[in-house]
Amino acid sequence: MVIEAVELVKSYKKVEAVKGVNLFIEKGEIVGLLGPNGAGKSTIISMISSLIKPTSGDILVKGKSVAKNPNEIRPILGVVPQDIALFLEFTAKENMYFFGRAYGLRGKKLTEKVQEILELVGLTERQNEQIKTYSGGMKRRLNIAVALLHEPEMIIMDEPTVGIDPQSRNYILETIRNLNREKKMTVLYTSHYMEEVEYLCDRLYIMDRGEIIVSGTKEEIKGILSQEQTVDIKVEEDSEMFYQSLRKYPGISSVTISNQIISIIAPKKAQLLEDIIEIAKNSGTKLLSFELQTPSLEDVFLHLTGRKLRD
Ligand SMILES: Nc1ncnc2c1ncn2[C@@H]1O[C@H](COP(=O)(O)OP(=O)(O)OP(=O)(O)O)[C@@H](O)[C@H]1O
C-alpha cells in the first residue's frame, strides 16, 4: 500500500474540513477523489504532503507516518498544487533547472531529466520562452513537470485541469494515463469533474462536506443505482406543478430541472413512463421527449446527497 489514511480529521475554528476519513491507495493505481468545492479534497492533499498537520488520525506513506517522518516521505511524493507555483519571469527550462537543483540534481542527470520531462508534458518547443507568455494550460503542464523532476513513486494532483482550455486538459489527462501505464506511476487525482475521474481512475472516493460518502470501482459505485434509472424528460414549458407532482412520485430520489429538461432518478419499473405521461397530463404539461440514461457518477452523487457535484 502506498498511502493509507486512518480516521483523518482536520478542524479549523469554525469548520471541520475533514471528518474522520479512511482511504488507501495501492501501488500502480489511479485513484480519484471526487467532490464539490469545499468538500475537503485540498485539505486531505495538504495533509498527505505534510503541508498541514491533521487534528487527529494519521497518514501512512509506505507504512510510515507522515507526521513523524516528513523528510523521508517527501521524496516519494510529487505534489501538483492547485495554484501555479512557478517563476513567471523565468523560461520553462529555467524553472525546471531551478527546481531540479533544489531537489539535488546536477550536471548531465539534471539536463537529461529536464529534457525528458519537458518532452513528456509537451513543452520542448516552447522551453526557452518566459512562462508569463504561456497559456493557463501550459503553466499547469509545467507545474506537473516540476512535480515529476525528483522521480517520485506517486503523483498527487489537486484539480489540475480547472479553468484551462480543452486541448491542455486532454494533454494532461493523457500524460497522467501514460505515466501510469508506462512508468507504473501511482496517482491520486482530485477533481470535481465527474467525466475526468470516470475516464482516468480505477477506483474512487466520493467526498462531500468533509466525509467520504461512497468508495469503490466505478462499476461498484454505479451499481448503487442498479435498481434505478435516470430519465430526462423534455417539456414544452417548465411547469412547477408537474415538477412538484414528480417529486411526490413513489421512490423518486431526485428531480432536477434545467432548460426545459427535467431529470429524474426513479425506480426501474415498466410503468414509469406511463405514469409520467399521466402526471404530465394532470398538470397540463406538454411532453416533447423522453431519454433514458445509464446512471453516471454524477447521478450517484445526486442520489446520495440531493445536490449536483457542480452546484
Ligand atoms: N485554512 C483554513 N481555515 C479555515 N477553513 C478552511 C481552511 N482551509 C480550508 N478550509 C475550509 O475547509 C473546507 C474544505 O476545504 P478544501 O479546500 O479542502 O475543499 P476542496 O474540496 O479542496 O474544495 P476546492 O475545490 O474549492 O479547493 C471548506 O469549507 C474550506 O472553507
Side-chain angles (χ1 to χ4, degrees), residues 2 24-34 154-155 173 176-182 184-190 194-206 214-223 297:
V2 185
F24 66 89
I25 301 165
E26 303 271 13
K27 195 169 169 50
E29 275 190 310
I30 306 187
V31 171
L33 191 54
L34 180 68
M154 171 168 185
I155 188 152
L173 295 179
I176 300 167
R177 252 201 166 172
N178 291 342
L179 277 168
N180 175 258
R181 289 191 175 160
E182 285 158 27
K184 309 276 172 267
M185 178 83 77
T186 309
V187 182
L188 174 61
Y189 188 88
T190 80
M194 179 268 299
E195 324 79 78
E196 289 186 355
V197 169
E198 178 135 26
Y199 172 74
L200 267 183
C201 303
D202 307 314
R203 212 159 52 74
L204 60 135
Y205 291 89
I206 303 185
V214 63
S215 66
T217 62
K218 285 174 277 198
E219 293 68 29
E220 283 165 351
I221 292 180
K222 287 188 205 164
L297 295 173

Side-chain angles (χ1 to χ4, degrees), residues 12 15 17 36-43 82 159:
Y12 294 104
V15 200
N37 290 333
K41 305 179 298 293
S42 301
T43 308
Q82 220 174 75
E159 309 211 33

Side-chain angles (χ1 to χ4, degrees), residues 232-268:
D232 287 347
I233 310 160
K234 187 152 197 216
V235 292
E236 195 173 59
E237 254 177 71
D238 291 339
S239 145
E240 186 62 21
M241 193 170 149
F242 179 51
Y243 179 78
Q244 292 303 343
S245 310
L246 281 175
R247 289 188 78 97
K248 288 188 202 130
Y249 188 83
I252 263 191
S253 63
S254 155
V255 185
T256 53
I257 187 161
S258 127
N259 300 329
Q260 290 152 262
I261 296 184
I262 299 182
S263 299
I264 61 167
I265 302 176
K268 271 188 187 151

